[in-house]
């Protein structure tokens, strides 16, 4: 059995429920800034999450609109401007303390740090968004908790491409089988698996029913022991490093979760 040496943390949906109440709201504020009568409701935003990357998401939405600029250059310029404004609004929302960490996340980061595991951020969101979120919740020195911080700007291909994970593995000089990725979405699971990193899923609001295959464990959140597959012993308390180590040790015997 290979010993667990590192945790790789996805950000949006895994560290915090940032999509519905953060990015979506901030995108709508950016539309209003520019006088656009566009509004992404919760359902439309859920559909658009199939596209990773905020700028890419804007372009995908424009491709379906009759009231978007016609030329690719104008669309690109508008997407850039909206994305820049969206990230500023997102930072403001985070600072207004409207986006707490998901329950159990802070405790597991602390436990892993005390146990001497290395940790990395592996996200396709922008670096400024990660900085805003973690500065509020872990303090100005948040980056010291992480041996690598790989963000959307660092890669050519966003999730579900494995590049974010491959870069983190390279920076930590780590065998993928010695890590566990924490993810919330099908795209994140696909990215980790394509890099051969075992992945544990804490389902987020938008992906409660999504089909997810090939994780070493799937559950509702790190603060509870109920509802996990494979099942956890005992009903009280959060998911611990020992639990993750046990799933990691047994991963060869686990095949698919629907
Ligand atoms: C999720 C994403 C991001 C965010 C928005 O990343 O796809 O695009 O929705 O952030 P992850 P940006 O789950 O890997 O953290 O606008 O900065 O792209
Ligand atoms: Mg995510």
């Amino acid at each position: 059995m290979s010993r667990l040496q590192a945790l790789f943390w996805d950000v949006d949906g895994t560290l915090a429920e940032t999509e519905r109440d953060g990015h979506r709201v901030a995108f709508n504020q950016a539309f209003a800034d520019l006088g656009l009568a566009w509004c992404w409701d919760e359902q439309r935003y859920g559909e658009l999450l199939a596209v990773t990357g905020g700028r890419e998401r804007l372009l995908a939405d424009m491709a379906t609109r009759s009231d978007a600029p016609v030329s690719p250059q104008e669309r690109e310029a508008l997407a850039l401007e909206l994305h820049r404004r969206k990230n500023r609004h997102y930072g403001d929302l985070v600072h207004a303390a409207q986006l707490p960490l998901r329950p159990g996340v802070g405790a597991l980061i602390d436990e892993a740090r005390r146990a001497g595991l290395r940790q990395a951020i592996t996200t396709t969101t922008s670096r400024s968004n990660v900085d805003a979120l973690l500065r509020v919740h872990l303090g100005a020195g948040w980056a010291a908790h992480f041996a690598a911080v790989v963000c959307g700007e660092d890669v050519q291909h966003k999730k579900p491409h494995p590049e974010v994970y491959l870069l983190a593995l390279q920076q930590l000089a780590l065998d993928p089988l010695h890590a566990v990725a924490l993810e919330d979405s099908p795209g994140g699971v696909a990215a980790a698996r394509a890099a051969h990193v075992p992945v544990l899923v804490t389902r987020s609001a938008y992906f409660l029913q999504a089909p997810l295959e090939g994780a070493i464990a799937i559950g509702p959140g790190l603060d509870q022991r109920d509802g996990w597959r494979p099942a956890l012993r005992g009903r009280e308390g959060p998911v611990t490093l020992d639990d993750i180590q046990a799933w990691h040790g047994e991963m060869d015997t686990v095949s698919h979760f629907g």
Side-chain angles (χ1 to χ4, degrees):
M1 181 176 83
S2 58
R3 189 80 198 158
L4 177 62
Q5 295 178 17
L7 294 183
F8 287 174
W9 291 93
D10 169 51
V11 173
D12 293 303
T14 300
L15 291 184
E17 283 286 2
T18 46
E19 294 291 12
R20 187 190 56 204
D21 305 328
H23 292 294
R24 185 186 70 85
V25 174
F27 276 117
N28 287 334
Q29 290 172 339
F31 298 148
D33 285 348
L34 298 191
L36 292 165
W38 298 352
C39 181
W40 288 346
D41 63 18
E42 289 181 20
Q43 192 195 328
R44 176 66 182 146
Y45 194 69
E47 292 161 8
L48 287 167
L49 283 179
V51 181
T52 44
R55 193 184 54 82
E56 293 85 345
R57 195 167 295 144
L58 285 160
L59 289 169
D61 185 58
M62 282 187 221
T64 70
R65 290 183 174 279
S66 54
D67 58 348
V70 177
S71 81
Q73 292 83 354
E74 280 177 293
R75 282 188 189 186
E76 190 63 51
L78 179 58
L80 269 178
E81 179 60 15
L82 286 168
H83 193 235
R84 196 180 58 76
R85 286 172 180 269
K86 184 276 286 182
N87 282 351
R88 227 180 40 221
H89 288 304
Y90 176 87
D92 291 345
L93 285 170
V94 169
H95 285 113
Q98 295 191 7
L99 293 169
L101 292 183
R102 287 183 65 182
V105 164
L108 186 60
I109 291 174
D110 275 353
E111 190 188 356
R113 191 173 46 79
R114 286 196 307 273
L117 257 71
R118 288 188 293 168
Q119 300 184 77
I121 295 290
T122 41
T123 176
T124 40
T125 199
S126 311
R127 189 168 293 271
S128 65
N129 299 333
V130 179
D131 184 55
L133 186 72
L134 293 185
R135 195 171 275 270
V136 164
H137 295 297
L138 303 182
W142 68 268
H145 298 306
F146 300 95
V149 178
V150 184
C151 302
E153 293 92 333
D154 302 322
V155 294
Q156 286 198 330
H157 308 288
K158 297 186 175 173
K159 297 175 189 176
H161 194 283
E163 192 176 349
V164 162
Y165 282 105
L166 295 174
L167 206 52
L169 289 165
Q170 195 184 52
Q171 290 183 12
L172 270 63
L174 191 72
D175 181 325
L177 293 181
H178 290 158
V180 162
L182 292 100
E183 281 282 359
D184 68 299
S185 68
V189 170
R193 292 195 71 209
H196 305 291
V197 177
V199 56
L200 176 156
V201 175
T202 53
R203 287 185 183 273
S204 61
Y206 270 117
F207 300 109
L208 294 176
Q209 312 293 338
L212 285 159
E213 286 205 344
I216 62 167
I218 298 183
L222 294 170
D223 61 325
Q224 61 187 90
R225 304 182 72 74
D226 271 346
W228 282 89
R229 287 185 295 158
L232 286 168
R233 282 199 207 97
R235 299 182 72 91
E236 296 297 315
V239 174
T240 65
L241 263 190
D242 278 349
D243 297 319
I244 296 175
Q245 175 70 67
W247 282 323
H248 183 255
E250 282 164 18
M251 63 186 165
D252 288 346
T253 62
V254 173
S255 56
H256 291 307
F257 297 95

